[in-house]
Amino acid sequence: MSQDHDHRDEHAPIRDGGHASPLARRARALEALLTEKGVLSTADIRSAIDTLVSRTPADGAKLVARAWVDPAFKVRLLADPKAAAAELGLDLTSYARLVVVENTDKVHHVVVCTLCSCYPRMLLGPPPAWYKSLDYRARTVADPRGVIREFGLELPPKVEVRVLDSTADMRYLVLPRRPLGTEHLSEADLGSLVTRDSMIGVSDPKPERTHV
């Protein structure tokens, strides 16, 4: 590469040679229309994308760990997730509605988006490929216990399984059960046990690591 390359110059858009998926082409057409009409600038769109991809499941784990150690916070989280998240510095105002559901000894929730891949990205980061797959979207509705079993979690028959269908207007976060024997752990240590999959509902949190 030439050393005379001037990084102040505006680069031409990088194209993918015309092999984009229909969804990607639709997104680009929408982006072009928004910028053409002056609704958003290219910098606005890039900034929003950077914010989304910078989020990780650690943000959701903070909420879960705080709820495990602070019963009053759990009540607030279940009643008004956005306000509770704001207490920890997490801004979820971009969501029309966020619902937090609690897994218990009697009820287990699992989240799916049957239409596409709606998902609480601001708390969990980008969704995994399997969450977006047609196989997961179809089979979770038809056989949730079977799907959860494939992730390694066998639910007792007495546990009711509830499937929650996420939409663009309604996102769900599962508050998983706290692992047994973790009463001595700090909030930070508890957060390390919370996984992305447990906040979708296809698995439980990691058990406490045992030292040998």
Side-chain angles (χ1 to χ4, degrees):
M1 179 181 292
S2 168
Q3 294 181 350
D4 295 332
H5 183 81
D6 188 348
H7 287 275
R8 293 171 301 178
D9 292 344
E10 288 293 332
H11 290 266
I14 299 173
R15 305 298 185 190
D16 62 3
H19 300 297
S21 67
L23 185 61
R25 292 198 295 272
R26 187 185 309 169
R28 288 174 184 168
L30 181 60
E31 176 184 348
L33 181 62
L34 291 171
T35 54
E36 178 185 334
K37 298 297 183 183
V39 177
L40 293 172
S41 68
T42 301
D44 292 333
I45 295 172
R46 287 177 179 169
S47 177
I49 293 173
D50 287 345
T51 299
L52 282 176
V53 299
S54 68
R55 296 302 182 99
T56 73
D59 290 326
K62 290 180 184 176
L63 293 178
V64 172
R66 177 62 61 86
W68 282 347
V69 300
D70 184 344
F73 179 81
K74 185 174 81 171
V75 172
R76 296 196 296 276
L77 180 64
L78 294 173
D80 188 346
K82 290 183 182 180
E87 295 180 29
L88 301 189
L90 299 172
D91 181 6
L92 304 180
T93 55
S94 61
Y95 290 141
R97 189 177 180 192
L98 174 69
V99 175
V100 177
V101 292
E102 182 181 14
N103 281 349
T104 68
D105 292 339
K106 297 181 179 178
V107 179
H108 186 97
H109 300 86
V110 59
V111 181
V112 67
C113 176
T114 55
L115 291 179
C116 49
S117 58
C118 294
Y119 180 84
R121 293 170 184 256
M122 299 299 283
L123 290 172
L124 302 185
W130 57 259
Y131 183 85
K132 299 182 287 186
S133 70
L134 179 60
D135 187 50
Y136 175 78
R137 288 152 49 196
R139 292 179 55 226
T140 299
V141 175
D143 180 20
R145 285 181 183 274
V147 170
I148 292 170
R149 185 181 302 114
E150 291 175 18
F151 280 84
L153 178 59
E154 184 72 47
L155 293 171
K158 66 178 183 180
V159 176
E160 176 188 354
V161 179
R162 296 178 182 172
V163 179
L164 304 173
D165 192 1
S166 186
T167 69
D169 296 324
M170 179 81 81
R171 308 296 169 92
Y172 295 96
L173 180 77
V174 173
L175 175 59
R177 292 181 301 162
R178 179 173 176 167
L180 297 175
T182 58
E183 293 76 10
H184 61 290
L185 295 184
S186 67
E187 183 176 337
D189 288 338
L190 287 170
S192 69
L193 304 180
V194 183
T195 65
R196 175 199 62 198
D197 291 359
S198 69
M199 292 182 280
I200 298 174
V202 293
S203 73
D204 274 341
K206 292 183 288 186
E208 183 189 5
R209 182 179 300 172
T210 56
H211 298 280
V212 294

